[in-house]
Amino acid sequence: MTRTIVESATKTVVIGFEEPFCVIGERINPTGRKKLAAELEAGDFSTVERDALEQVACGAMVLDVNAGVVYNSNPNPNETEPPLMRRVIELVQGLVDVPLCIDSSVPAALEAGLAATNGRPLLNSVTGEEDRLELVLPLVKKYNVPVVAISNDDTGISEDPDVRFAVAKKIVERAADFGIPAHDIVVDPLVMPVGAMASAGQQVFALVRRLRAELGVNTTCGASNISFGLPNRHGVNAAFLPMAIGAGMTSAIMNPVRSVEMEAIRAANLLMNHDANGGEWIRMAKVLEAVKEGASFAEASQAASQASSGRRGGRRARG
């Protein structure tokens, strides 16, 4: 079975068909977050620190790091983004021990992130445009890291799932030309908003099944795209994620701080037999009880994790 290995200095996460669903925290990203973008330009990293700690406490297994700030003082991201990417990665690595996902459309920022990251990060991303393939795939090979492959090319994002599959297949084949194995390609088949395209969910489920069966690759997505423009978005996301997991999706870039989505993922792991003895589901139940009593989801999750670590430590001490 396909296994994609990502690592920090101290922790290994496996993305795979027979593994628990991999939650990649999306919050360290200034896109659409004007306050965070302004903070980063001013050298204020307090929100980044809070987001890193909170996402890991809530169950993020990998953290996506994006430093795509358009500086008012210098609008050239080729100059501003690489040093900011290094700074953010160094900060995050000093706070948490989970692997990172380096997220940028600027090749120099991707390489700056790769040089600064400990372990084996996930690179986000490469697309099907030939010039992008020629820029990013050599970095993937040089640093021996897995990469997210997004199923669009120079024609844009197709509404035809067969076209999106063909783009993914092209990327996998071009990666092979560089000596990059399929298990190091994590395909994003692109989730369309169901509010704009009624068949969006059905399309992505079918694509995930096909990517798994025909290309043998792991998959990911920007989970919240499915609910864009709709009311009660978290309810839609919480229904979408288990359905995607059932179709074979193995990871998602998402907000782990929302308890309803994380509860849905824990239940899906249990039902897919990816939760040994139901341990994570039982822990989640205790977290939700604490939330009912007034704790925040992050506080309750962190307390449950510390209690679990203490029990494991106690067993080791007795042994």
Side-chain angles (χ1 to χ4, degrees), residues 43-166:
D44 177 358
F45 296 93
S46 56
T47 297
V48 169
E49 293 173 351
R50 183 171 62 252
D51 283 345
L53 292 168
E54 187 175 45
Q55 288 184 104
V56 172
C58 291
M61 301 159 70
V62 177
L63 290 185
D64 188 82
V65 176
N66 183 300
V69 178
V70 179
Y71 280 44
N72 293 316
S73 57
N74 181 356
N76 184 355
N78 294 300
E79 295 178 358
T80 59
E81 193 169 331
L84 182 60
M85 178 67 83
R86 283 194 297 270
R87 178 70 183 90
V88 173
I89 284 174
E90 289 167 356
L91 174 69
V92 171
Q93 287 184 145
L95 293 170
V96 297
D97 64 351
V98 299
L100 301 183
C101 175
I102 304 168
D103 182 0
S104 180
S105 60
V106 177
L110 290 176
E111 183 149 30
L114 286 166
T117 304
N118 300 323
R120 191 173 197 251
L122 178 62
L123 199 66
N124 187 11
S125 59
V126 67
T127 55
E129 294 98 336
E130 196 60 36
D131 59 347
R132 185 74 179 174
L133 293 166
E134 292 294 332
L135 285 169
V136 177
L137 291 181
L139 290 177
V140 175
K141 179 63 176 178
K142 176 182 176 182
Y143 287 91
N144 184 30
V145 295
V147 64
V148 174
I150 300 179
S151 300
N152 70 282
D153 57 16
D154 48 13
T155 65
I157 300 173
S158 175
E159 294 186 0
D160 184 342
D162 289 337
V163 173
R164 300 208 300 278
F165 177 84

Side-chain angles (χ1 to χ4, degrees), residues 12 37 39 54 83 116 169 188 193 201 216 227 271:
T12 297
E39 288 178 0
E54 187 175 45
K169 184 178 180 182
D188 182 346
S227 63
L271 294 167

